[in-house]
Amino acid sequence: MLTSPSSVPRLVVAAPSSGSGKTTVATGLMAALTARGLAVSPHKVGPDYIDPGYHSLATGRVGRNLDAYLCGPELIGPLFAHGARGCDIAVVEGVMGMFDGAAGEGELASTAQVAKLLRAPVVLVVDASSQSRSVAALVHGFASWDPEVRIGGVILNKVASDRHEELLREALESAGVPVLGVLRRVAQVDTPSRHLGLVPVAERRAAAVKAVAAMAAQVAQGCDVEALVALARGAGVLSGAAWDAAEALASSPPPPLPSPTLGFARAGGPPSSLGAAAPGPPLSALNGPRPQSPPEGGPPDGLSENGPGDKVRVAVAGGAAFTFSYAEHAELLSAAGAEVVVFDPLRDEGLPEGTRGLVIGGGFPEVYATELSGNEALRKEVAALVESGAPVAAECAGLLYLCRELDGLPMCGVLDAGARMSERLTLGYRDAVAVSDSVLAVAGTRMRGHEFHRTVVEPGSGAAPAWGVLAPRRVEGFVERGVHASYLHTHWASEPGVARRFVERCRTS
């Protein structure tokens, strides 16, 4: 029953707040539908890298993010349709409370906004553990707050008994929202957390498989799965075509001319120069227009029209220590003419043969610092690659790995900086402008990113900083030789030229 990605049945799993049970319900529903023989497209609202790993385990497909802050609202539909190609149904897990989004930006990046952009009905997961009749007021408020959001049903979580369920159902009759599931208060599914949320699948695969199976059983036993499928079939048809990496590269503008850095000093000036800046132009003015939605087609498997010559090999760090990556990054690199090869810094003592560029994304190097430090052969090879001038893009965990040391243990020593764990959580969206020309962008390029870590790098920036962050106003990161290293996680689908520029530097370095 393959469906056009623009009309694939879909629903959004939301909640009044974090901790209500969204991940249990969404992941369990994905697994339950997959067990019925359906091809399920898994999605996550927001920048979170960890939940999509569980979604992927539940469905056998790549978990994909839908982030209206990082990518812009106009790309939500095309990116969703790209992920939903060849699928029978899609399940989208929300983020935080349904109306919570980017701070100070209204509904931007909220679950509610994404549901509207996808024309998708919403299932509200409510933690009913400490209420009975009050649940009706809660559900009524969420159902009536924004008339453009269609809440098609409620799933009651942590229900104590048959009598408790009876009281909740009786109260909700007046709210006009059907109850599509009741999950009893049982021993929590084994999904351990630590300093940045759930432990990723890559670190506990066997246990994660059992956890996903338990979630699927809870949903299959406690929810009206047929009613949920019927609700998903009521989603509206999306306009526009699915995103495609090769088409996005072809329609993206060339790297912009150097633009105002909004008061931040360019490379060569004092890195701490934070003089008052005039109001900056919008993203579209600095980066050029976002690419138009391309025609539908399969994922890129060859060179793009802009990728001359043979493919160049780009090594991408993976394994348990480096699990944070958006699938579209590898797709864009491939479309730009790269052969993407994943390696594991915990196990592999050398980079893939013929490596011309290196991408090190986010993850948990602080958890594996001893093992990463012990792999001296790989550390030396990474340092040698950098010394050769090859392009290296490092985000967050990658930044830590390139430092001189992490919690006192030797790392690659590429950057003259030390990293350590901190008790303080740094979390939030960032609006940033490139301060220095680099392998990713020219100075003045404006992008949006996300920070999520409990570590500190000292100093926080080099003589040529990577980014000037607009709020809180500061410079951060390092641009040295071919290295671009920063705490900011960015989504390259918002600026496909980043991947093209990186691959071009791989060819010429």
Side-chain angles (χ1 to χ4, degrees):
M1 187 184 69
L2 298 182
T3 308
S4 165
S6 63
S7 59
V8 65
R10 72 201 82 102
L11 56 81
V12 174
V13 178
S17 65
S18 296
S20 298
K22 291 190 303 292
T23 299
T24 295
V25 170
T27 308
L29 180 59
M30 293 173 189
L33 292 171
T34 301
R36 293 183 172 211
L38 297 178
V40 181
S41 181
H43 303 265
K44 170 69 180 181
V45 178
D48 180 275
Y49 293 98
I50 299 175
D51 289 347
Y54 286 85
H55 299 170
S56 180
L57 200 59
T59 63
R61 296 179 63 92
V62 175
R64 295 180 183 270
N65 295 74
L66 300 171
D67 194 307
Y69 186 91
L70 295 183
C71 296
E74 66 273 23
L75 276 183
I76 295 301
L79 286 171
F80 167 83
H82 170 59
R85 281 191 178 101
C87 286
D88 303 312
I89 192 168
V91 178
V92 181
E93 180 184 345
V95 62
M96 301 184 292
M98 187 168 76
F99 296 106
D100 301 327
E105 298 281 354
E107 71 171 7
L108 180 63
S110 68
T111 302
Q113 183 194 34
V114 170
K116 291 191 288 186
L117 291 169
L118 295 181
R119 305 186 67 194
V122 174
V123 175
L124 192 69
V125 180
V126 176
D127 179 351
S129 59
S130 300
Q131 57 185 317
S132 57
R133 189 166 179 264
S134 295
V135 73
L138 176 68
V139 172
H140 172 75
F142 272 80
S144 60
W145 178 260
D146 184 345
E148 294 183 41
V149 178
R150 177 163 66 98
I151 295 182
V154 174
I155 293 176
L156 300 169
N157 192 26
K158 300 181 183 178
V159 176
S161 63
D162 289 345
R163 177 57 177 162
H164 189 198
E165 178 180 343
E166 181 182 337
L167 292 171
L168 293 167
R169 287 183 177 274
E170 181 180 287
L172 283 169
E173 287 179 3
S174 62
V177 180
V179 176
L180 299 182
V182 175
L183 303 184
R184 290 302 172 88
R185 191 183 304 168
V186 295
Q188 192 170 9
V189 175
D190 181 24
T191 51
S193 298
R194 60 171 178 233
H195 57 284
L196 294 183
L198 296 180
V199 177
V201 166
E203 298 185 40
R204 55 184 300 267
R205 188 168 185 87
V209 168
K210 293 181 180 178
V212 169
M215 295 178 200
Q218 280 185 279
V219 169
Q221 294 166 12
C223 297
D224 187 341
V225 177
E226 293 299 335
L228 290 167
V229 172
L231 179 63
R233 288 181 179 141
V237 175
L238 298 176
S239 59
W243 182 87
D244 176 85
E247 292 291 338
L249 282 171
S251 59
S252 66
L257 295 173
S259 304
T261 54
L262 308 188
F264 294 101
R266 292 181 184 276
S272 59
S273 175
L274 299 180
L283 287 169
S284 58
L286 286 168
N287 290 343
R290 294 184 185 273
Q292 298 297 309
S293 298
E296 294 179 20
D301 58 1
L303 292 175
S304 70
E305 294 180 356
N306 298 324
D310 295 333
K311 288 197 170 190
V312 290
R313 179 165 286 189
V314 173
V316 176
F322 297 98
T323 56
F324 294 3
S325 177
Y326 296 125
E328 291 81 6
H329 288 199
E331 292 167 350
L332 283 164
L333 288 169
S334 177
E339 177 195 4
V340 177
V341 181
V342 178
F343 73 104
D344 185 351
L346 293 177
R347 300 177 181 274
D348 297 326
E349 295 184 352
L351 294 169
E353 185 178 355
T355 292
R356 299 284 297 276
L358 175 62
V359 176
I360 315 174
F364 292 98
E366 62 271 28
V367 175
Y368 295 97
T370 300
E371 293 89 336
L372 291 171
S373 182
N375 192 347
E376 184 177 4
L378 179 62
R379 290 193 288 109
K380 288 183 176 179
E381 192 163 331
V382 169
L385 183 74
V386 171
E387 189 64 28
S388 75
V392 177
E395 289 186 346
C396 199
L399 165 65
L400 306 185
Y401 186 54
L402 295 183
C403 283
R404 183 178 59 254
E405 62 181 22
L406 172 57
D407 285 336
L409 295 171
M411 291 292 132
C412 294
V414 169
L415 305 174
D416 188 16
R420 59 177 173 81
M421 285 290 293
S422 168
E423 294 183 359
R424 179 173 176 267
L425 174 63
T426 300
L427 170 67
Y429 286 120
R430 305 287 186 253
D431 197 358
V433 60
V435 178
S436 311
D437 291 343
S438 74
V439 297
L440 296 184
V442 298
T445 301
R446 195 166 172 183
M447 289 187 74
R448 283 178 161 176
H450 183 262
E451 277 191 274
F452 188 35
H453 57 90
R454 285 188 186 271
T455 57
V456 174
V457 169
E458 297 167 326
S461 62
W467 300 109
V469 179
L470 303 184
R473 192 168 178 80
R474 58 193 167 87
V475 292
E476 74 91 45
F478 302 78
V479 173
E480 298 180 8
R481 290 164 289 191
V483 174
H484 183 286
S486 163
Y487 264 124
L488 261 63
H489 297 285
T490 59
H491 200 303
W492 293 0
S494 70
E495 188 60 50
V498 166
R500 180 173 58 200
R501 182 178 175 89
F502 185 84
V503 172
E504 287 173 354
R505 285 295 298 270
C506 289
R507 294 187 187 285
T508 59
S509 64

